[in-house]
Amino acid sequence: MLQTDMVHGSSENQTTSTEAITEDEILLQDQQLKRIEDEQKSAPLVGDKCSLFSLVALYDPDTSSAFFSKANELTEVYSDIRFIRGDGNCFYRAVLVGLVEIMLADKEKLRKFITSSKEWTEKLVKLGFPDWTCTDFCEFFIEFLQNIYDGKDNADAVFKNLNDDNTANYLLMFFRLITSGHLKENAAHYEPFIGEGLTLAQYCETEIEAMWKESDHLAIIALVKATNIRLRIEYMDRSEAPNGGWHHNLPDGNDDASFVPDITLLYRPGHYDLIYKKPAVAS
Amino acid sequence: MTEMYNTKNAGVRRLMQEAKELSKPTEMYHAQPMEDNLFEWHFTIRGTIGTDFEGGIYHGRIIFPADYPMKPPNLILLTPNGRFELNKKICLSISGYHPETWLPSWSIRTALLALVGFLPSSPAGALGSLDYPPKERKRLAKLSADWKCKECGCLMKDALLPITEDGQSKVNEEAKKLATQVKFQDESVLKQQETATEETVERQEENETAETTVAVEASRETGTPNEPVLSESVHTEVPTPVTTSESMVQEPNQEQSSQLSHQLTARQLPSSNFDWSLLLKIPLALLCVAVFIILLARRVFVENESALRDVSEL
């Protein structure tokens, strides 16, 4: 009590010194934040595909036995992993990379996705997304796909783009926009799931259209629907899975027997990476 | 300029597109890049009719971060206006490192309109903000017409299209709406508010009187953080709560700032405010050391004495 009062007293009387302190504090804070950012940036946006055993190696069998055994279990079904930078965009980025990989291998799917991206551009305008800036993100994305389709960019060039902060985040914004677009298009359906007294539009602006905001379950459903993909998420921690199992298929209502996912993500608390199934062994 | 930049770069493309969109002055705003730097622009905005800034035309700089539009631009006002300090970064959405409230789909136009809408709002004691009386602001608004930018040579009264009633009301609606979404503050405000919150929380814990609780409740109901507050005092300094009665004035910042400090919990800094308890701790410590030395000296003394006695007895 005494302490705070005295601090108040000092800040009232010595205005100049308070300002100086504040500026020092800002400097310090900026440095700290810069360090966090640099630390994030030390990992590539999209890592190279590598063996899933590199995931097993991250866990100590004694101190984190649960993760260690789950990682081992995953190696029985999956062979590779692609680590994605943990900057709050990892879900969108993982899906983006997964989709681009599919389209690099399948020209027909690429053509279809270009068409649907063009449809999304028109839809976003109809839904009242601001100005020309939104269409700008769409056009950039479509141009990126078109370059692959026309053979202007090969896989190397594509992955170079996906690892360039500026380009990659521009592409990623398209995914955030169509996620938001899908929610707004089906507002009546999704509105009841939004808590905390937010409207759906507010939720979309603060949680989805803003960069570096992590995706929640609603965003995941919306992006899956907007891109029309089949997604499986493997959970390292059973308690995190919405259905209480080890994995979750999206869109909902798909049982395991018939479900062949286009993209599989690995979820570790707070983070998504891409994983790849072992090639089917001819028996 | 086109040759100087990599036009494949998404951010560069975007800025060039924005320069094209804003190439002609409008009634309310105008902005163009500097000749030698695409990442620095100069802008001009018009104050809203019916506010202290009516008739004012204000000029400033926009500094873009390398990863614009993912992160917000920084605005700096150059024309005296009585609302913001000059030559200081007014950060959109608090700071470049907290881009959460900035949307990449917003544009320079959005930022300028938000600034127009934000001018008449109460500074509520935010650092970097000025709370000049209306008379002074009106005087500055009148003077601004003859203000000329030393850097780009732009004369304020010629910078924008002549005003029409109809055109302005349309833009102003948008500006007002945007101002409630976008927060313009000096970046230091963030830090200030955090400290203020910490201190207030501390204070509340210490004297959990009904009075304080009521004050908090009441302010929660008053809603938006930028709402004009009850203060008639000229608040240009730190928003540190001093007395319980003043906490009414402080509270509107609370919800916003507690949210901020929540976001920042992992990055909390040790407060560099002077720790007044040191005044007590240091003398106490010195006293302890002194007592210890005296006791030690006494012991040595006593031993020596007995040794001397032994010698003399021998």
Side-chain angles (χ1 to χ4, degrees):
Chain A
M1 187 66 209
L2 175 85
Q3 192 185 329
T4 39
D5 273 352
M6 287 174 105
V7 170
H8 293 154
S10 75
S11 63
E12 251 192 339
N13 302 330
Q14 310 160 10
T15 47
T16 41
S17 77
T18 313
E19 231 168 282
I21 286 167
T22 313
E23 263 154 34
D24 279 352
E25 282 184 351
I26 296 163
L27 207 73
L28 237 162
Q29 186 189 25
D30 278 359
Q31 281 169 354
Q32 285 200 340
L33 292 169
K34 187 87 183 63
R35 225 172 295 142
I36 293 169
E37 204 176 285
D38 286 348
E39 208 176 289
Q40 278 180 353
K41 285 192 174 168
S42 65
L45 282 176
V46 181
D48 287 330
K49 211 166 165 177
C50 60
S51 162
L52 195 57
F53 285 104
S54 56
L55 176 78
V56 181
L58 293 178
Y59 297 103
D60 186 288
D62 296 325
T63 54
S64 41
S65 57
F67 281 136
F68 179 78
S69 65
K70 176 62 182 167
N72 258 320
E73 222 174 90
L74 284 169
T75 58
E76 286 165 23
V77 185
Y78 299 94
S79 59
D80 295 285
I81 184 165
R82 206 189 267 285
F83 289 104
I84 306 289
R85 186 191 287 172
D87 62 356
N89 291 317
C90 56
F91 171 73
Y92 300 94
R93 201 178 308 278
V95 173
L96 169 70
V97 174
L99 256 175
V100 168
E101 279 186 305
I102 292 170
M103 292 188 286
L104 276 169
D106 188 333
K107 222 168 173 181
E108 183 52 26
K109 279 191 181 150
L110 174 59
R111 195 188 55 78
K112 275 190 190 153
F113 204 76
I114 292 175
T115 316
S116 81
S117 300
K118 283 179 183 161
E119 284 166 14
W120 263 116
T121 316
E122 287 164 31
K123 238 190 270 180
L124 291 180
V125 174
K126 271 188 205 141
L127 284 165
F129 276 77
D131 291 341
W132 53 274
T133 48
C134 277
T135 15
D136 190 47
F137 289 113
C138 299
E139 279 161 14
F140 191 84
F141 186 79
I142 293 166
E143 196 185 309
F144 169 77
L145 295 184
Q146 194 66 45
N147 281 346
I148 303 175
Y149 191 80
D150 297 343
K152 276 187 201 158
D153 282 346
N154 60 10
D156 281 350
V158 167
F159 274 95
K160 213 177 140 208
N161 277 332
L162 288 175
N163 251 320
D164 171 69
D165 274 86
N166 210 308
T167 314
N169 287 343
Y170 230 76
L171 298 171
L172 193 126
M173 262 314 288
F174 174 76
F175 273 41
R176 284 188 176 270
L177 288 174
I178 61 172
T179 305
S180 167
H182 178 81
L183 291 174
K184 285 180 181 170
E185 199 185 10
N186 303 284
H189 180 71
Y190 292 110
E191 193 101 64
F193 298 103
I194 291 160
E196 297 164 30
L198 286 176
T199 67
L200 184 111
Q202 282 170 332
Y203 167 83
C204 285
E205 276 193 1
T206 55
E207 298 298 321
I208 299 192
E209 290 167 39
M211 282 294 281
W212 296 289
K213 275 291 179 77
E214 279 171 28
S215 59
D216 57 11
H217 195 61
L218 212 56
I220 294 171
I221 295 172
L223 183 59
V224 164
K225 292 262 175 80
T227 50
N228 200 18
I229 52 166
R230 281 161 304 167
L231 180 74
R232 172 170 288 172
I233 302 174
E234 288 280 355
Y235 289 85
M236 283 294 264
D237 177 356
R238 196 175 193 130
S239 61
E240 301 272 354
N243 56 357
W246 283 119
H247 62 238
H248 183 210
N249 297 330
L250 287 140
D252 284 308
N254 281 292
D255 56 353
D256 283 1
S258 59
F259 188 79
V260 183
D262 300 315
I263 296 171
T264 311
L265 302 183
L266 171 68
Y267 178 84
R268 289 179 286 160
H271 185 69
Y272 293 92
D273 293 302
L274 263 171
I275 49 174
Y276 301 88
K277 211 163 182 155
K278 274 185 180 171
V281 185
S283 51
Chain B
M1 180 149 64
T2 320
E3 314 85 61
M4 277 170 59
Y5 293 96
N6 175 9
T7 44
K8 275 196 176 158
N9 180 303
V12 168
R13 265 173 47 151
R14 163 80 176 254
L15 281 172
M16 287 183 166
Q17 183 74 18
E18 296 213 41
K20 224 164 96 191
E21 294 280 327
L22 295 169
S23 61
K24 292 211 173 68
T26 70
E27 290 170 31
M28 291 303 289
Y29 55 84
H30 186 222
Q32 278 297 291
M34 301 299 286
E35 261 172 42
D36 55 345
N37 187 357
L38 184 63
F39 286 81
E40 183 182 339
W41 291 34
H42 274 210
F43 70 87
T44 312
I45 52 168
R46 189 190 289 279
T48 316
I49 288 177
T51 68
D52 297 343
F53 306 95
E54 176 172 342
I57 301 172
Y58 308 99
H59 195 71
R61 298 161 66 199
I62 314 175
I63 312 283
F64 292 94
D67 39 6
Y68 178 82
M70 299 305 150
K71 286 185 183 162
N74 295 302
L75 305 182
I76 297 166
L77 272 167
L78 300 173
T79 316
N81 55 80
R83 173 62 181 84
F84 286 110
E85 281 180 40
L86 302 184
N87 299 310
K88 257 198 177 171
K89 269 186 196 172
I90 313 164
C91 289
L92 239 149
S93 79
I94 294 133
S95 148
Y97 289 111
H98 306 273
E100 286 90 352
T101 52
W102 164 262
L103 301 186
S105 49
W106 284 344
S107 61
I108 300 163
R109 181 178 175 274
T110 323
L112 293 180
L113 282 180
L115 181 58
V116 170
F118 209 77
L119 275 176
S121 69
S122 161
L127 210 83
S129 282
L130 301 171
D131 200 358
Y132 284 12
K135 214 174 142 191
E136 179 62 9
R137 286 179 170 176
K138 282 175 186 162
R139 192 182 71 88
L140 289 172
K142 239 179 235 162
L143 286 177
S144 69
D146 292 318
W147 191 90
K148 191 174 177 180
C149 177
K150 279 183 199 135
E151 222 174 317
C152 70
C154 182
L155 184 66
M156 285 307 96
K157 58 183 166 195
D158 303 330
L160 299 174
L161 288 185
I163 194 158
T164 61
E165 193 72 33
D166 187 43
Q168 204 195 15
S169 62
K170 218 159 109 201
V171 175
N172 280 344
E173 272 310 297
E174 208 181 335
K176 249 186 235 162
K177 204 184 131 227
L178 279 168
T180 60
Q181 275 181 311
V182 187
K183 311 271 180 295
F184 278 98
Q185 283 167 326
D186 185 283
E187 41 192 332
S188 47
V189 177
L190 172 73
K191 198 55 224 153
Q192 281 298 325
Q193 285 181 345
E194 249 176 83
T195 353
T197 321
E198 273 163 36
E199 280 163 10
T200 326
V201 168
E202 218 171 288
R203 194 165 46 90
Q204 276 171 7
E205 275 166 7
E206 276 160 16
N207 55 341
E208 279 187 329
T209 59
E211 210 183 339
T212 327
T213 326
V214 168
V216 175
E217 296 281 293
S219 65
R220 286 270 151 78
E221 279 158 31
T222 55
T224 60
N226 298 314
E227 212 172 319
V229 230
L230 328 155
S231 90
E232 72 285 4
S233 58
V234 180
H235 247 83
T236 47
E237 264 322 309
V238 207
T240 29
V242 181
T243 58
T244 324
S245 64
E246 247 213 43
S247 73
M248 282 291 282
V249 183
Q250 298 297 335
E251 301 301 349
N253 283 329
Q254 289 257 318
E255 248 176 50
Q256 184 199 3
S257 55
S258 63
Q259 219 181 340
L260 284 170
S261 57
H262 182 70
Q263 285 167 3
L264 282 168
T265 36
R267 310 156 191 173
Q268 285 291 354
L269 288 170
S271 165
S272 50
N273 282 333
F274 180 68
D275 189 354
W276 288 86
S277 66
L278 283 180
L279 282 183
L280 207 67
K281 284 177 191 160
I282 292 172
L284 261 176
L286 286 175
L287 198 73
C288 288
V289 172
V291 167
F292 178 74
I293 290 172
I294 291 169
L295 287 174
L296 199 74
R298 187 178 155 271
R299 194 191 159 86
V300 171
F301 225 158
V302 169
E303 263 177 19
N304 279 353
E305 220 172 344
S306 59
L308 280 174
R309 213 180 302 134
D310 287 348
V311 172
S312 63
E313 271 172 21
L314 277 173

